[in-house]
Amino acid sequence: MLIKTRAGWEIPESQATPEATFMDRRRFIAAGAGLIAGAALPEMAFAQGADPTLDLYPAKRNEAYKLDRPVTEEELAANYNNFYEFGTSKDVVASAKRLGTRPWTVTIDGLVEKPFEIGVDELIRKMPLEERLYRFRCVEAWSMAVPWTGFPLKKLVELAKPLSGAKYVQMQTFMNPRVAPGQSQRWYPWPYTEGLTIAEASNELALMVTGIYGKPVPNQHGAPMRLIVPWKYGFKSVKSINKISFVAERPKTFWEGLQASEYGFWANVNPEVSHPRWSQASEQVLGSRERRPTLLFNGYGEQVADLYKGLEKERLWA
Ligand code: MTE
């Protein structure tokens, strides 16, 4: 991995727009009041033993990835999460503990030489883990900067051996409404599904994350394995993945299925393209009063802008 030059991340801080509200929750409350059936089945709560990959942490930091801002406090990042399977508030820590993350099998299928299933621990041990400091920008206009541990998604693409007809990588979250009460809310297009082009998935920045702050990733952040694509809005970074499919057609993603006019497939960060209901010009930095101007591609243009040459007619930004 090589980052040619220091990217232009050292930008002045300034004030800008107020924090936006992500979803029009009233719409969903009206549509689904009382539908959270079977949500709290105590027998589905799992005790979590020691993580079998604990010895791999902390992984060596890859110093090529620098930040232009302080690292967000661990406590803050760990208690301000979006994980709709476990509720629409930011406070999902307790609810997400219900998810048993071992054993955990990942299915690799679709247009590959030979579909297979692999235990997540075996997969993690096959892969070169490293720590990277990344900025993370939510479409809601808040941001954080955290040390993720993981392996390049590109390595998983190589392991899967996609056939030439494969154009996209589709990634899905587990589906178990008895554990994840949000999945009983049938107006959402579960399971949470995301996708990248093969070129995006093979970009050096696309990271399959298994840890954060030098430890295995906790449930609320997407244990045991989640995606991080830091040049895109956070909703692309699907959590708790158990299925990866190589496909010919562009996958229909979760938020696109819910509200295509507001959340598209590409979702690259761009301060100049507003969300239909709020500006994306600036972001609220978690844990500070500071608003920073948002950066094109979240500041990772040098690494990713080339991916979009020739795609200018696509809706690349939201
Ligand atoms: N993945 C799943 N399965 N379910 C979700 O609700 N939320 C997305 C993304 N991945 C989400 C998900 C959104 S909107 C954001 S901003 C990030 O996860 C939040 O990641 P974090 O909670 O680790 O900060």
Side-chain angles (χ1 to χ4, degrees), residues 2-54:
L2 195 78
I3 293 199
K4 293 165 290 233
T5 52
R6 288 280 293 269
W9 298 335
E10 318 294 332
I11 45 130
E13 301 165 1
S14 77
Q15 301 291 311
T17 54
E19 183 166 12
T21 309
F22 193 13
M23 295 297 301
D24 180 0
R25 295 201 171 98
R26 281 167 305 176
R27 188 158 47 90
F28 297 112
I29 291 163
L35 274 185
I36 313 172
L41 298 177
E43 75 271 21
M44 295 309 293
F46 292 86
Q48 292 289 289
D51 185 301
T53 59
L54 204 55

Short mmCIF file of all heavy atoms in Angstrom, two decimals, residues 2-54:
data_model
loop_
_atom_site.label_atom_id
_atom_site.label_comp_id
_atom_site.label_asym_id
_atom_site.label_seq_id
_atom_site.Cartn_x
_atom_site.Cartn_y
_atom_site.Cartn_z
N LEU A 2 0.58 2.16 -0.86
CA LEU A 2 1.40 3.35 -0.97
C LEU A 2 0.50 4.57 -1.14
O LEU A 2 -0.38 4.56 -1.99
CB LEU A 2 2.29 3.21 -2.20
CG LEU A 2 3.45 4.16 -2.31
CD1 LEU A 2 4.58 3.70 -1.39
CD2 LEU A 2 3.94 4.23 -3.74
N ILE A 3 0.73 5.57 -0.31
CA ILE A 3 0.03 6.83 -0.55
C ILE A 3 1.07 7.79 -1.08
O ILE A 3 2.05 8.08 -0.40
CB ILE A 3 -0.63 7.35 0.72
CG1 ILE A 3 -1.74 6.38 1.10
CG2 ILE A 3 -1.17 8.75 0.53
CD1 ILE A 3 -2.76 6.90 2.04
N LYS A 4 0.86 8.24 -2.32
CA LYS A 4 1.93 8.94 -3.03
C LYS A 4 2.33 10.24 -2.33
O LYS A 4 3.47 10.48 -2.02
CB LYS A 4 1.49 9.23 -4.46
CG LYS A 4 1.33 7.95 -5.28
CD LYS A 4 0.56 8.20 -6.55
CE LYS A 4 -0.85 8.48 -6.26
NZ LYS A 4 -1.99 8.00 -6.68
N THR A 5 1.35 11.10 -2.08
CA THR A 5 1.67 12.38 -1.46
C THR A 5 0.72 12.61 -0.30
O THR A 5 -0.31 11.96 -0.21
CB THR A 5 1.45 13.53 -2.47
OG1 THR A 5 0.15 13.39 -3.00
CG2 THR A 5 2.48 13.53 -3.56
N ARG A 6 1.08 13.51 0.55
CA ARG A 6 0.14 13.90 1.61
C ARG A 6 -1.06 14.56 0.96
O ARG A 6 -0.92 15.54 0.24
CB ARG A 6 0.82 14.88 2.57
CG ARG A 6 1.87 14.27 3.46
CD ARG A 6 1.23 13.56 4.64
NE ARG A 6 0.56 14.47 5.55
CZ ARG A 6 1.15 15.03 6.60
NH1 ARG A 6 2.41 14.78 6.85
NH2 ARG A 6 0.48 15.83 7.40
N ALA A 7 -2.22 14.01 1.19
CA ALA A 7 -3.41 14.60 0.60
C ALA A 7 -3.71 15.95 1.26
O ALA A 7 -3.20 16.24 2.33
CB ALA A 7 -4.59 13.66 0.77
N GLY A 8 -4.52 16.75 0.59
CA GLY A 8 -4.80 18.10 1.08
C GLY A 8 -5.81 18.11 2.21
O GLY A 8 -6.85 18.73 2.12
N TRP A 9 -5.48 17.42 3.32
CA TRP A 9 -6.44 17.29 4.40
C TRP A 9 -6.30 18.38 5.45
O TRP A 9 -7.14 18.50 6.33
CB TRP A 9 -6.28 15.92 5.08
CG TRP A 9 -6.54 14.78 4.16
CD1 TRP A 9 -7.33 14.80 3.05
CD2 TRP A 9 -6.02 13.47 4.25
NE1 TRP A 9 -7.32 13.57 2.46
CE2 TRP A 9 -6.52 12.73 3.17
CE3 TRP A 9 -5.17 12.81 5.15
CZ2 TRP A 9 -6.21 11.40 2.96
CZ3 TRP A 9 -4.87 11.49 4.94
CH2 TRP A 9 -5.38 10.80 3.85
N GLU A 10 -5.18 19.13 5.39
CA GLU A 10 -4.94 20.12 6.45
C GLU A 10 -5.73 21.38 6.14
O GLU A 10 -5.21 22.37 5.67
CB GLU A 10 -3.45 20.46 6.57
CG GLU A 10 -2.50 19.28 6.46
CD GLU A 10 -2.65 18.31 7.61
OE1 GLU A 10 -3.04 18.74 8.70
OE2 GLU A 10 -2.38 17.13 7.41
N ILE A 11 -6.99 21.35 6.37
CA ILE A 11 -7.82 22.48 5.96
C ILE A 11 -8.27 23.28 7.18
O ILE A 11 -8.34 22.75 8.28
CB ILE A 11 -9.04 21.99 5.18
CG1 ILE A 11 -9.63 20.79 5.94
CG2 ILE A 11 -8.69 21.59 3.78
CD1 ILE A 11 -11.06 20.92 6.16
N PRO A 12 -8.53 24.56 6.98
CA PRO A 12 -8.95 25.37 8.11
C PRO A 12 -10.34 24.96 8.61
O PRO A 12 -11.15 24.44 7.85
CB PRO A 12 -9.01 26.79 7.55
CG PRO A 12 -9.18 26.62 6.10
CD PRO A 12 -8.52 25.32 5.73
N GLU A 13 -10.54 25.17 9.89
CA GLU A 13 -11.84 24.84 10.45
C GLU A 13 -12.78 26.04 10.27
O GLU A 13 -12.37 27.16 10.28
CB GLU A 13 -11.68 24.56 11.94
CG GLU A 13 -10.72 23.43 12.19
CD GLU A 13 -10.27 23.36 13.64
OE1 GLU A 13 -10.73 24.18 14.44
OE2 GLU A 13 -9.46 22.49 13.93
N SER A 14 -14.04 25.77 10.10
CA SER A 14 -14.98 26.89 10.06
C SER A 14 -16.37 26.43 10.45
O SER A 14 -16.64 25.25 10.58
CB SER A 14 -15.01 27.51 8.66
OG SER A 14 -15.75 26.69 7.81
N GLN A 15 -17.19 27.34 10.62
CA GLN A 15 -18.57 27.03 11.02
C GLN A 15 -19.44 26.85 9.77
O GLN A 15 -19.20 27.43 8.75
CB GLN A 15 -19.16 28.22 11.80
CG GLN A 15 -18.38 28.54 13.04
CD GLN A 15 -18.52 27.45 14.09
OE1 GLN A 15 -19.62 27.04 14.37
NE2 GLN A 15 -17.41 26.99 14.62
N ALA A 16 -20.45 26.08 9.89
CA ALA A 16 -21.39 25.99 8.75
C ALA A 16 -22.77 25.57 9.22
O ALA A 16 -23.22 25.98 10.27
CB ALA A 16 -20.85 25.09 7.67
N THR A 17 -23.39 24.73 8.45
CA THR A 17 -24.81 24.44 8.67
C THR A 17 -25.09 23.65 9.95
O THR A 17 -24.23 22.95 10.44
CB THR A 17 -25.35 23.60 7.51
OG1 THR A 17 -24.51 22.47 7.41
CG2 THR A 17 -25.35 24.36 6.23
N PRO A 18 -26.30 23.73 10.46
CA PRO A 18 -26.65 22.95 11.66
C PRO A 18 -26.75 21.46 11.35
O PRO A 18 -26.95 21.08 10.20
CB PRO A 18 -28.01 23.50 12.06
CG PRO A 18 -28.58 24.06 10.82
CD PRO A 18 -27.42 24.52 9.98
N GLU A 19 -26.64 20.67 12.40
CA GLU A 19 -26.72 19.22 12.22
C GLU A 19 -28.09 18.84 11.69
O GLU A 19 -29.11 19.34 12.10
CB GLU A 19 -26.46 18.51 13.54
CG GLU A 19 -26.46 17.00 13.36
CD GLU A 19 -25.87 16.29 14.56
OE1 GLU A 19 -25.67 16.94 15.59
OE2 GLU A 19 -25.63 15.10 14.44
N ALA A 20 -28.07 17.92 10.76
CA ALA A 20 -29.33 17.52 10.13
C ALA A 20 -29.90 16.29 10.82
O ALA A 20 -29.22 15.58 11.52
CB ALA A 20 -29.05 17.19 8.67
N THR A 21 -31.15 16.09 10.58
CA THR A 21 -31.80 14.88 11.09
C THR A 21 -31.83 13.88 9.96
O THR A 21 -32.16 14.21 8.84
CB THR A 21 -33.24 15.20 11.50
OG1 THR A 21 -33.18 16.34 12.35
CG2 THR A 21 -33.86 14.04 12.24
N PHE A 22 -31.46 12.67 10.27
CA PHE A 22 -31.25 11.66 9.23
C PHE A 22 -32.56 11.28 8.55
O PHE A 22 -32.74 11.40 7.37
CB PHE A 22 -30.66 10.44 9.91
CG PHE A 22 -30.09 9.42 8.99
CD1 PHE A 22 -29.85 9.68 7.65
CD2 PHE A 22 -29.75 8.18 9.49
CE1 PHE A 22 -29.30 8.73 6.83
CE2 PHE A 22 -29.20 7.22 8.68
CZ PHE A 22 -28.97 7.50 7.36
N MET A 23 -33.47 10.79 9.33
CA MET A 23 -34.67 10.21 8.74
C MET A 23 -35.89 10.99 9.19
O MET A 23 -35.91 11.54 10.28
CB MET A 23 -34.84 8.77 9.25
CG MET A 23 -33.75 7.83 8.81
SD MET A 23 -33.72 7.66 7.04
CE MET A 23 -35.36 7.04 6.75
N ASP A 24 -36.88 10.98 8.35
CA ASP A 24 -38.16 11.51 8.78
C ASP A 24 -38.85 10.40 9.57
O ASP A 24 -39.59 9.59 9.04
CB ASP A 24 -39.00 11.90 7.57
CG ASP A 24 -40.34 12.45 8.00
OD1 ASP A 24 -40.63 12.51 9.20
OD2 ASP A 24 -41.11 12.81 7.10
N ARG A 25 -38.51 10.33 10.86
CA ARG A 25 -38.96 9.17 11.63
C ARG A 25 -40.47 9.12 11.77
O ARG A 25 -41.04 8.06 11.90
CB ARG A 25 -38.30 9.17 13.00
CG ARG A 25 -36.81 9.01 12.86
CD ARG A 25 -36.17 8.50 14.11
NE ARG A 25 -34.79 8.17 13.82
CZ ARG A 25 -33.78 8.98 14.07
NH1 ARG A 25 -33.96 10.12 14.66
NH2 ARG A 25 -32.55 8.61 13.75
N ARG A 26 -41.11 10.30 11.70
CA ARG A 26 -42.56 10.29 11.86
C ARG A 26 -43.23 9.40 10.82
O ARG A 26 -44.20 8.72 11.07
CB ARG A 26 -43.11 11.71 11.76
CG ARG A 26 -42.92 12.50 13.04
CD ARG A 26 -43.18 13.94 12.79
NE ARG A 26 -42.34 14.43 11.70
CZ ARG A 26 -42.38 15.64 11.21
NH1 ARG A 26 -43.23 16.49 11.69
NH2 ARG A 26 -41.58 16.01 10.24
N ARG A 27 -42.64 9.42 9.63
CA ARG A 27 -43.19 8.62 8.54
C ARG A 27 -43.22 7.14 8.94
O ARG A 27 -44.18 6.43 8.73
CB ARG A 27 -42.29 8.80 7.32
CG ARG A 27 -42.80 8.22 6.06
CD ARG A 27 -42.13 8.92 4.88
NE ARG A 27 -40.69 9.04 5.06
CZ ARG A 27 -39.83 8.12 4.64
NH1 ARG A 27 -40.26 7.04 4.04
NH2 ARG A 27 -38.56 8.31 4.81
N PHE A 28 -42.12 6.70 9.58
CA PHE A 28 -42.03 5.29 9.93
C PHE A 28 -42.88 4.96 11.15
O PHE A 28 -43.46 3.90 11.25
CB PHE A 28 -40.58 4.90 10.15
CG PHE A 28 -39.80 5.06 8.90
CD1 PHE A 28 -38.83 6.03 8.79
CD2 PHE A 28 -40.10 4.27 7.80
CE1 PHE A 28 -38.15 6.20 7.60
CE2 PHE A 28 -39.41 4.43 6.61
CZ PHE A 28 -38.44 5.40 6.51
N ILE A 29 -42.95 5.93 12.05
CA ILE A 29 -43.79 5.69 13.22
C ILE A 29 -45.22 5.53 12.77
O ILE A 29 -45.92 4.59 13.14
CB ILE A 29 -43.64 6.84 14.24
CG1 ILE A 29 -42.23 6.79 14.83
CG2 ILE A 29 -44.68 6.74 15.34
CD1 ILE A 29 -41.79 8.05 15.51
N ALA A 30 -45.65 6.42 11.87
CA ALA A 30 -47.02 6.35 11.37
C ALA A 30 -47.25 5.03 10.65
O ALA A 30 -48.28 4.38 10.81
CB ALA A 30 -47.28 7.52 10.43
N ALA A 31 -46.26 4.61 9.86
CA ALA A 31 -46.44 3.40 9.06
C ALA A 31 -46.42 2.15 9.92
O ALA A 31 -47.06 1.16 9.60
CB ALA A 31 -45.35 3.31 8.00
N GLY A 32 -45.68 2.20 11.00
CA GLY A 32 -45.42 0.93 11.65
C GLY A 32 -45.70 0.85 13.12
O GLY A 32 -45.22 -0.06 13.78
N ALA A 33 -46.50 1.74 13.66
CA ALA A 33 -46.73 1.73 15.10
C ALA A 33 -47.20 0.35 15.53
O ALA A 33 -48.07 -0.25 14.93
CB ALA A 33 -47.77 2.78 15.46
N GLY A 34 -46.58 -0.16 16.55
CA GLY A 34 -47.04 -1.41 17.13
C GLY A 34 -46.56 -2.66 16.41
O GLY A 34 -46.91 -3.77 16.80
N LEU A 35 -45.74 -2.50 15.40
CA LEU A 35 -45.34 -3.68 14.64
C LEU A 35 -44.07 -4.36 15.15
O LEU A 35 -43.60 -5.32 14.56
CB LEU A 35 -45.11 -3.30 13.17
CG LEU A 35 -46.37 -3.32 12.30
CD1 LEU A 35 -45.99 -3.05 10.86
CD2 LEU A 35 -47.11 -4.63 12.40
N ILE A 36 -43.52 -3.84 16.25
CA ILE A 36 -42.26 -4.42 16.70
C ILE A 36 -42.58 -5.68 17.51
O ILE A 36 -42.35 -5.78 18.70
CB ILE A 36 -41.46 -3.40 17.52
CG1 ILE A 36 -41.42 -2.06 16.78
CG2 ILE A 36 -40.05 -3.90 17.76
CD1 ILE A 36 -40.82 -0.95 17.60
N ALA A 37 -43.12 -6.65 16.80
CA ALA A 37 -43.59 -7.86 17.48
C ALA A 37 -42.43 -8.80 17.78
O ALA A 37 -41.46 -8.86 17.05
CB ALA A 37 -44.60 -8.56 16.60
N GLY A 38 -42.54 -9.56 18.85
CA GLY A 38 -41.54 -10.59 19.16
C GLY A 38 -40.17 -10.02 19.36
O GLY A 38 -39.17 -10.70 19.14
N ALA A 39 -40.10 -8.76 19.80
CA ALA A 39 -38.80 -8.09 19.81
C ALA A 39 -37.88 -8.58 20.92
O ALA A 39 -36.69 -8.67 20.72
CB ALA A 39 -39.01 -6.60 19.93
N ALA A 40 -38.42 -8.89 22.06
CA ALA A 40 -37.53 -9.10 23.20
C ALA A 40 -37.62 -10.51 23.75
O ALA A 40 -38.13 -10.75 24.82
CB ALA A 40 -37.88 -8.08 24.28
N LEU A 41 -37.17 -11.46 22.98
CA LEU A 41 -37.23 -12.84 23.44
C LEU A 41 -35.97 -13.13 24.25
O LEU A 41 -34.88 -13.23 23.69
CB LEU A 41 -37.32 -13.78 22.24
CG LEU A 41 -38.58 -13.60 21.39
CD1 LEU A 41 -38.54 -14.53 20.20
CD2 LEU A 41 -39.83 -13.84 22.20
N PRO A 42 -36.11 -13.27 25.58
CA PRO A 42 -34.92 -13.38 26.41
C PRO A 42 -34.06 -14.57 26.05
O PRO A 42 -32.85 -14.53 26.16
CB PRO A 42 -35.48 -13.50 27.84
CG PRO A 42 -36.95 -13.66 27.71
CD PRO A 42 -37.35 -13.27 26.34
N GLU A 43 -34.66 -15.65 25.53
CA GLU A 43 -33.83 -16.82 25.26
C GLU A 43 -32.86 -16.60 24.11
O GLU A 43 -31.94 -17.37 23.88
CB GLU A 43 -34.70 -18.06 24.98
CG GLU A 43 -35.37 -18.08 23.63
CD GLU A 43 -36.74 -17.40 23.63
OE1 GLU A 43 -37.02 -16.58 24.54
OE2 GLU A 43 -37.52 -17.68 22.72
N MET A 44 -33.08 -15.49 23.36
CA MET A 44 -32.18 -15.22 22.24
C MET A 44 -30.96 -14.41 22.64
O MET A 44 -30.12 -14.11 21.81
CB MET A 44 -32.94 -14.50 21.12
CG MET A 44 -34.04 -15.32 20.48
SD MET A 44 -33.48 -16.95 19.97
CE MET A 44 -32.36 -16.50 18.66
N ALA A 45 -30.91 -14.03 23.90
CA ALA A 45 -29.72 -13.28 24.33
C ALA A 45 -28.54 -14.23 24.43
O ALA A 45 -28.66 -15.32 24.96
CB ALA A 45 -29.99 -12.62 25.67
N PHE A 46 -27.40 -13.85 23.86
CA PHE A 46 -26.24 -14.72 23.85
C PHE A 46 -25.18 -14.20 24.80
O PHE A 46 -24.91 -13.01 24.84
CB PHE A 46 -25.61 -14.75 22.45
CG PHE A 46 -26.46 -15.43 21.43
CD1 PHE A 46 -27.43 -14.73 20.74
CD2 PHE A 46 -26.30 -16.77 21.17
CE1 PHE A 46 -28.22 -15.35 19.80
CE2 PHE A 46 -27.09 -17.41 20.22
CZ PHE A 46 -28.04 -16.70 19.54
N ALA A 47 -24.59 -15.10 25.53
CA ALA A 47 -23.43 -14.70 26.33
C ALA A 47 -22.22 -14.66 25.39
O ALA A 47 -22.04 -15.57 24.58
CB ALA A 47 -23.19 -15.72 27.42
N GLN A 48 -21.45 -13.62 25.47
CA GLN A 48 -20.27 -13.50 24.61
C GLN A 48 -19.03 -13.97 25.37
O GLN A 48 -18.69 -13.42 26.41
CB GLN A 48 -20.09 -12.05 24.18
CG GLN A 48 -21.17 -11.54 23.25
CD GLN A 48 -21.07 -12.16 21.87
OE1 GLN A 48 -20.16 -11.86 21.11
NE2 GLN A 48 -22.00 -13.04 21.54
N GLY A 49 -18.38 -14.99 24.84
CA GLY A 49 -17.12 -15.42 25.44
C GLY A 49 -16.00 -14.54 24.94
O GLY A 49 -16.23 -13.56 24.25
N ALA A 50 -14.77 -14.92 25.29
CA ALA A 50 -13.63 -14.15 24.80
C ALA A 50 -13.57 -14.30 23.29
O ALA A 50 -13.84 -15.37 22.74
CB ALA A 50 -12.37 -14.69 25.45
N ASP A 51 -13.21 -13.25 22.62
CA ASP A 51 -13.11 -13.29 21.16
C ASP A 51 -11.93 -14.19 20.79
O ASP A 51 -10.81 -14.01 21.26
CB ASP A 51 -12.90 -11.86 20.66
CG ASP A 51 -12.91 -11.79 19.16
OD1 ASP A 51 -12.06 -12.46 18.51
OD2 ASP A 51 -13.75 -11.06 18.62
N PRO A 52 -12.17 -15.19 19.91
CA PRO A 52 -11.10 -16.13 19.56
C PRO A 52 -9.95 -15.49 18.77
O PRO A 52 -8.93 -16.15 18.55
CB PRO A 52 -11.79 -17.18 18.69
CG PRO A 52 -13.25 -16.89 18.76
CD PRO A 52 -13.45 -15.51 19.28
N THR A 53 -10.11 -14.25 18.35
CA THR A 53 -9.02 -13.59 17.61
C THR A 53 -8.32 -12.51 18.44
O THR A 53 -7.55 -11.71 17.90
CB THR A 53 -9.55 -12.95 16.30
OG1 THR A 53 -10.57 -12.00 16.65
CG2 THR A 53 -10.11 -13.97 15.35
N LEU A 54 -8.62 -12.52 19.74
CA LEU A 54 -8.12 -11.46 20.62
C LEU A 54 -6.60 -11.25 20.51
O LEU A 54 -6.10 -10.13 20.58
CB LEU A 54 -8.47 -11.84 22.07
CG LEU A 54 -8.58 -10.73 23.09
CD1 LEU A 54 -9.56 -9.66 22.64
CD2 LEU A 54 -9.05 -11.33 24.43
#
